[in-house]
Amino acid sequence: MTGLTRWPGRYTDRHGSQEIVFESDGRELIRTTIRGVRFEGDTMDGLGAVGGEPPEPMLVLRDGDLWSCLLEWELPLPVDVAGRGERTASLHCALNLWYPEESEHLTLTLRLGGHELSATHPDFETALREIASALPDGTRLRACVSCAWSDYHPAGNGMMAGLACFRDVKDLYRRCDGKHGRHGIFTYWPLRTGFVQETHLCDEFEHRAPDHGYRGGFP
């Protein structure tokens, strides 16, 4: 399979810790190998053993998905800085899947120019919004979560990868002004190009304007 990016990461549970590598297509595929077992899914909190492989005895699954562990990974995240152009920040992600305490949460830490900004929330969209709001004036994230052509379904979204892209119907989507009505998100939802991860980026990126689409603006 081509077009995959690699994120260095770490897996930790009550039996120990090991360095791993996540592979992602930026849309709906994430895969990795842990203790010889291959895992794959469309989100980090939904990684299941591939092909029905029997899980290694020390690995814990819940409804077939990896559980009772801490997943960490690092990825580059472009940032536009007023007067200085595009720079590359580092985003450290830590997903606690009920380990070591019974509290599932996601912590994101953005590192840029010797500074760090962190946020802990159940999902990427909320955590990245908090981080983006704390950036200096004129500094903005450059990723699908902040793109003019992306939106969520009114029913809600999961931890990651539930972000719909409308880049192939820009002229139509730019009319979107809410949930219902002629130009509501329900009208345009079937026309979506596909789904993307919040940290993905393509050549058609444009910064999101205030009060744009169903979900509104992004810092």
Side-chain angles (χ1 to χ4, degrees), residues 4 10 12 27 40 60 76 95 122 135 141 152 156 171 177 201:
L4 297 178
R10 177 169 291 275
T12 303
R27 297 173 179 83
E40 186 174 297
V60 177
L95 178 61
L135 289 171
L141 302 182
Y152 289 106
D171 290 340
D177 56 8
L201 180 66

Side-chain angles (χ1 to χ4, degrees), residues 184-206:
I185 189 64
F186 286 118
T187 298
Y188 302 116
W189 191 257
L191 305 177
R192 64 189 181 276
T193 303
F195 290 98
V196 292
Q197 295 165 8
E198 285 76 1
T199 55
H200 187 55
L201 180 66
C202 82
D203 293 338
E204 299 187 52
F205 172 87
E206 291 184 27

Side-chain angles (χ1 to χ4, degrees), residues 51-67:
E53 282 190 38
E56 198 267 2
M58 291 191 295
L59 296 173
V60 177
L61 303 184
R62 186 191 70 163
D63 297 329
D65 295 333
L66 198 59
W67 193 245

Side-chain angles (χ1 to χ4, degrees), residues 35 104 192:
R35 294 178 184 152
E104 179 182 353
R192 64 189 181 276

Side-chain angles (χ1 to χ4, degrees), residues 4 19 28 43 47 51 71 107 121 125-126 144 154 158 168 184 194 214:
L4 297 178
E19 292 185 359
E28 298 181 89
T43 70
L47 296 177
L71 299 178
T107 298
H121 287 282
E125 197 273 341
T126 310
C144 285
D168 291 338
Y214 162 67

